[in-house]
Amino acid sequence: MTYRLLFQAFVFVFFIAGCHVQRPAKECSTYMEAADPSPDKTADWSVVKPGLMASVGSVNDLYAKSSVPDVETSSSWKGSAWKGERISAQLVLWSREAISQVEYEFSAFKSSDGGELPASIAQARFVRYVITDEFSNGCGKRKPEDFAASLSPDVLDPLDCFDMEPQTTRPIWITIDIPSDAASGTYTSSMELFANGKKHSTFTFSIDILPRILPPASEWEFHLDLWQNPYAVARVHGVEPWSDAHWEALRPLMQMLAGAGQKVITTTLNNRPWGGQTEDAFGSMIDWTKKSEGGWQYDYTVFDNWVEFMMDLGIKSQINCYSMVPWGNQLYYFDEKTGEEVKIIAEPGTEGYADLWVPFLRDFITHLEQKGWKEITRIAMDERAPAEMQAMLKLLNETAPGLGVALADNHKSYKLYPDQLVDLCVAHGAVVEPDDRKYRESKGYVTTWYVCCADVFPNVFTFSPPAEAAFIGWYTVAAGFDGFLRWAYNSWVKEPLLDSRFRTWPAGDTYIVYPDARSSIRFERLVEGIQDAEKIRILREELQNDSSGEAKEKLDLLNQTLASFNIIEKPERLEELMLKGKQVLEQISR
């Protein structure tokens, strides 16, 4: 009788204990990834032990889906952060057999002195693979068969669980948002990993929260300008442009952009300012109508709704309006008399150009003044030749004096119009002379830089090493720029979640985030670099205002470290350079 009772007690205890590690069965629904165009045929999965393998990885590595990852197995991660900062880590999973229902669960972050932060500050997202290609010659038309294709891990998918295929690798991207009111100290959390419905392993995350506060993104001084394409959102989500469903789809995507510190609202003055070179051509946010009895009528409904929508999300520093010099000098309007859209070619400096733009500018200025937006509005141009720019500026100054101008300048022409470019963005590698930089700063003008399909380094293609995205923030500060421009936040290709290649540029050139407000490794690392740039700015200002010898030593160390980032060519060991910079930044932050 005694043995029977003991056996029953053992079974009961075992059952109760099992209840704590067994997860309810669920279906892990998700979309299918594209087939691997170049699987690793040398991978020897037979050497992998049975069951799920898991380890802390590196945020600098892109783990191939079909390869056995080369990692030194570890179950603990340590990092440091300012209050208000977002930090990232990466786990990597791999298995030679199918694994179902991979899930995770964080515990609260606790410090040794009794402090506690909720588990909700941490988020794990399964990294999804997209087809990518290679830089090759950069810009130019592309036939897929002429460029090496592969799978690249980039999409961050906020799934509850994930089913792994056999002989595959699957990264997990971890982000931890430190509350701005957190107490300083070292906090530790455990992340339980589950597989096949059962507890598999435990990972430890330890964060040293420093006694520094990073302001909210809306207060960052870094001038971020990632061009938005709302028309791509309408197409991918299958909704009518500017319908309620369109606004609903736009909101989380643009909220994510605001959280990166975006400063500029991308708007269009006329139809197709860049021609049709993107998958989704930009429409006009202002309707131009030539009246039957003569004169013009302009409908600003979409323009106003879009600007107000973005401002409500916190993006309110600048409105860039494209373009008085559109690609191909093509302009569109609706002719009320014929009931048809008219397309004409009107080159700056011609009578036809003035006939279109003079009445519009006069009406537009009045509208901007009524809305209270004139001071932050810029007539924006993209890589336009000096002759066209000068003719356009002459008309603008005569018709709408005082309206600011923005230019992405790849002609090194900014000296031709020094007091008209309130926002100057130069191509990577171009030099803004020190005297010009000082003059622009004294006037409160913005001076930034950009990369595009022509730049192999640094860039945010889907095949680019992740450290390059973070480097962008460091280079911006080191080279003395106010911020960074990238032409495409979300100009999505046909199937952005599957294949990031495009018909004319390296893969990933047209977008850095994904539908349904899915982030990416590239975007998270770009924001990381922007956060670092803000931290450097804050520390510099503090040290420059401190006359002590210790402050001077720290400032010298910071400036010497930054000088090593003022480079055009890619260094042999970019990851080591980034690590050294971050170590110095942490040292001074303490």
Side-chain angles (χ1 to χ4, degrees):
M1 188 68 175
T2 303
Y3 290 110
R4 181 182 297 174
L5 289 173
L6 287 173
F7 177 75
Q8 289 174 339
F10 173 78
V11 171
F12 178 77
V13 170
F14 181 81
F15 174 76
I16 294 298
C19 288
H20 290 286
V21 296
Q22 186 72 38
R23 309 282 282 190
K26 66 169 70 171
E27 181 181 354
C28 300
S29 299
T30 185
Y31 65 88
M32 290 291 293
E33 290 172 338
D36 193 340
S38 57
D40 183 359
K41 296 180 180 179
T42 65
D44 185 4
W45 285 93
S46 66
V47 301
V48 178
K49 296 178 182 179
L52 179 65
M53 306 298 293
S55 176
V56 171
S58 168
V59 294
N60 291 322
D61 288 340
L62 296 174
Y63 296 99
K65 183 178 181 179
S66 60
S67 300
V68 179
D70 182 16
V71 294
E72 185 175 337
T73 305
S74 173
S75 60
S76 62
W77 177 91
K78 294 182 179 179
S80 66
W82 286 26
K83 302 169 188 181
E85 184 180 359
R86 164 173 282 198
I87 54 177
S88 297
Q90 187 168 213
L91 304 183
V92 59
L93 316 180
W94 66 102
S95 175
R96 74 182 193 191
E97 57 200 38
I99 303 292
S100 64
Q101 201 174 330
V102 178
E103 300 175 272
Y104 65 89
E105 184 176 318
F106 284 95
S107 68
F109 288 77
K110 297 182 179 181
S111 65
S112 58
D113 59 1
E116 183 173 319
L117 298 173
S120 58
I121 69 171
Q123 180 185 18
R125 286 170 284 185
F126 293 95
V127 183
R128 311 300 305 280
Y129 290 82
V130 294
I131 297 178
T132 189
D133 55 20
E134 58 183 334
F135 183 77
S136 188
N137 297 323
C139 308
K141 292 184 178 180
R142 296 189 162 219
K143 293 181 179 179
E145 60 270 22
D146 294 338
F147 298 85
S150 60
L151 284 185
S152 182
D154 191 49
V155 191
L156 303 188
D157 219 0
L159 303 169
D160 290 334
C161 66
F162 195 88
D163 293 331
M164 287 184 61
E165 304 167 62
Q167 297 187 10
T168 60
T169 290
R170 181 64 53 181
I172 299 180
W173 194 265
I174 312 292
T175 50
I176 304 172
D177 293 291
I178 310 300
S180 58
D181 59 353
S184 301
T186 302
Y187 293 77
T188 302
S189 169
S190 295
M191 174 187 163
E192 305 287 357
L193 189 67
F194 298 84
N196 298 319
K198 299 178 181 179
K199 180 179 176 181
H200 175 271
S201 54
T202 302
F203 291 89
T204 302
F205 289 85
S206 181
I207 306 169
D208 190 6
I209 300 179
L210 305 179
R212 298 278 183 175
I213 299 177
L214 183 68
S218 59
E219 297 177 16
W220 296 351
E221 293 189 11
F222 191 100
H223 191 88
L224 180 63
D225 184 7
L226 304 181
W227 297 358
Q228 313 100 54
N229 187 345
Y231 304 95
V233 177
R235 188 258 307 174
V236 168
H237 287 271
V239 297
E240 186 71 21
W242 312 119
S243 64
D244 290 344
H246 189 198
W247 292 114
E248 184 178 344
L250 283 164
R251 184 172 299 279
L253 187 73
M254 298 307 161
Q255 184 66 67
M256 189 162 64
L257 180 59
Q262 174 75 7
K263 295 293 184 286
V264 185
I265 305 169
T266 307
T267 70
T268 53
L269 298 178
N270 202 273
N271 198 25
R272 303 165 69 90
W274 294 279
Q277 59 178 340
T278 52
E279 188 66 32
D280 304 280
F282 288 69
S284 178
M285 293 182 179
I286 301 169
D287 289 336
W288 296 43
T289 300
K290 188 172 186 179
K291 303 296 289 181
S292 300
E293 67 277 10
W296 292 88
Q297 177 179 299
Y298 308 100
D299 186 345
Y300 299 100
T301 302
V302 171
F303 179 87
D304 291 350
N305 288 343
W306 171 243
V307 170
E308 289 166 358
F309 171 81
M310 295 294 278
M311 286 184 168
D312 287 343
L313 296 178
I315 303 172
K316 55 182 67 175
S317 299
Q318 190 169 312
I319 305 168
N320 276 12
C321 305
Y322 293 92
S323 169
M324 280 186 66
V325 191
W327 290 47
N329 292 312
Q330 295 177 355
L331 295 168
Y332 299 77
Y333 64 86
F334 179 77
D335 191 317
E336 191 176 67
K337 195 171 188 177
T338 64
E340 296 179 349
E341 182 182 60
V342 177
K343 179 181 81 170
I344 67 169
I345 295 177
E347 297 181 1
T350 64
E351 183 178 348
Y353 184 85
D355 288 343
L356 283 167
W357 284 106
V358 169
F360 170 78
L361 286 171
R362 289 172 177 163
D363 194 84
F364 189 47
I365 284 290
T366 300
H367 183 74
L368 292 175
E369 289 173 339
Q370 290 172 348
K371 301 293 293 186
W373 297 340
K374 181 183 175 183
E375 296 304 315
I376 62 170
T377 298
R378 310 285 179 258
I379 299 298
M381 267 65 60
D382 177 28
E383 299 184 335
R384 299 297 80 199
E388 293 177 315
M389 283 292 298
Q390 288 175 314
M392 180 278 298
L393 289 170
K394 181 176 184 298
L395 176 72
L396 183 66
N397 291 336
E398 292 172 352
T399 311
L403 194 58
V405 174
L407 171 67
D409 182 15
N410 67 336
H411 292 275
K412 302 178 181 179
S413 60
Y414 73 91
K415 285 179 176 289
L416 298 175
Y417 8 82
D419 284 311
Q420 293 160 309
L421 298 182
V422 177
D423 180 348
L424 166 66
C425 186
V426 298
H428 181 232
V431 176
V432 180
E433 299 295 339
D435 288 346
D436 296 324
R437 189 81 63 87
K438 186 176 180 180
Y439 178 78
R440 293 185 59 79
E441 185 177 350
S442 70
K443 292 286 189 176
Y445 300 159
V446 171
T447 309
T448 62
W449 67 291
Y450 73 97
V451 293
C452 63
C453 59
D455 301 291
V456 66
F457 169 84
N459 223 312
V460 287
F461 304 121
T462 41
F463 54 78
S464 297
E468 291 189 20
F471 173 86
I472 286 170
W474 285 77
Y475 173 77
T476 300
V477 181
F481 289 108
D482 299 317
F484 173 73
L485 178 152
R486 192 69 171 79
W487 79 269
Y489 177 62
N490 69 301
S491 279
W492 291 323
V493 293
K494 287 183 178 179
E495 296 181 290
L497 287 167
L498 301 178
D499 191 339
S500 65
R501 294 174 296 179
F502 191 58
R503 57 183 176 263
T504 47
W505 306 304
D509 185 57
T510 70
Y511 64 108
I512 194 172
V513 294
Y514 293 84
D516 291 312
R518 292 177 176 93
S519 186
S520 69
I521 290 178
R522 297 174 291 153
F523 186 66
E524 295 295 327
R525 295 304 306 274
L526 177 66
V527 175
E528 173 191 319
I530 294 171
Q531 289 182 144
D532 288 345
E534 283 298 300
K535 290 156 68 174
I536 292 168
R537 175 187 61 80
I538 291 170
L539 290 172
R540 262 183 163 175
E541 291 177 357
E542 178 183 303
L543 295 172
Q544 287 170 347
N545 292 326
D546 188 336
S547 60
S548 68
E550 181 183 3
K552 185 180 183 305
E553 289 181 5
K554 289 182 177 179
L555 183 60
D556 289 343
L557 174 61
L558 182 58
N559 288 335
Q560 289 169 10
T561 303
L562 278 174
S564 64
F565 285 84
N566 191 8
I567 53 177
I568 302 300
E569 302 296 330
K570 184 177 181 178
E572 289 186 11
R573 296 178 177 84
L574 175 62
E575 289 77 12
E576 291 182 14
L577 176 65
M578 292 297 302
L579 177 61
K580 179 181 178 181
K582 285 179 173 290
Q583 288 173 339
V584 169
L585 187 56
E586 179 182 344
Q587 175 186 338
I588 296 175
S589 297
R590 293 180 182 276

